[in-house]
Amino acid sequence: MFIVKVYTKITAIVKKAFEQGWSNTKLACSVATGFYIAFSPFPGLHTVMMFIVKWLWALNMPILFIATSINNPWTMIPIFSINYAFGYWLIHSVLGLNPSPSLSVAWLFGEGRICLWSFFIGGNLLGTFAGLISYPIALYLFKRFS
């Protein structure tokens, strides 16, 4: 029942966007940008980033908000964990680097360090990948929906 309500609300927002004259490409760009923001490694700045890119590129705010909202309190820890794990694997295993800037988490876990480079590089790369993958899919769906 909840899924049906969410689906109905999202389709109403998309219909309204088409009624207002938004193009398929602009709406797909809003989705792709929202996905990048959702995966971006800047906790607490997602809303600010959303308003800035909406203003800079004149994107559709409701669609941008829906796409950005895949990173919410329920999904934040898994998304940031995947970002970190991917970045750690890429930097340490693939490239064989051991960058020094890290954050001590001894106050939280008793010991350990988090490599900040892993978090930032992993988040940006996965965000870019999510945006690049979501654009053609969203464009296809918007063309089919309109």
Side-chain angles (χ1 to χ4, degrees):
M1 189 67 175
F2 175 73
I3 300 294
V4 173
K5 287 182 181 181
V6 170
Y7 176 77
T8 305
K9 187 69 172 173
I10 289 174
T11 54
I13 290 170
V14 172
K15 284 180 184 177
K16 188 173 181 181
F18 283 127
E19 289 170 1
Q20 293 174 346
W22 288 89
S23 69
N24 294 331
T25 55
K26 203 62 146 173
L27 293 174
C29 191
S30 298
V31 170
T33 305
F35 273 41
Y36 169 77
I37 292 171
F39 279 90
S40 70
F42 306 107
L45 296 177
H46 291 126
T47 304
V48 173
M49 291 171 62
M50 189 174 57
F51 282 113
I52 289 172
V53 298
K54 189 262 183 258
W55 177 73
L56 283 176
W57 297 324
L59 299 176
N60 183 281
M61 189 61 172
I63 302 294
L64 182 65
F65 178 77
I66 289 169
T68 304
S69 295
I70 64 166
N71 188 346
N72 57 58
W74 293 97
T75 62
M76 184 178 295
I77 291 175
I79 287 175
F80 286 157
S81 298
I82 291 169
N83 288 349
Y84 181 77
F86 177 73
Y88 192 89
W89 170 78
L90 182 68
I91 290 174
H92 296 275
S93 298
V94 175
L95 300 175
L97 301 175
N98 193 11
S100 61
S102 61
L103 177 68
S104 174
V105 289
W107 59 273
L108 185 61
F109 299 115
E111 62 179 72
R113 300 186 81 67
I114 293 177
C115 178
L116 294 177
W117 285 106
S118 298
F119 181 66
F120 287 118
I121 289 173
N124 278 309
L125 288 177
L126 285 179
T128 301
F129 180 73
L132 290 173
I133 292 297
S134 66
Y135 180 80
I137 295 169
L139 185 61
Y140 170 77
L141 291 173
F142 285 132
K143 282 182 180 178
R144 196 157 179 243
F145 192 74
S146 62

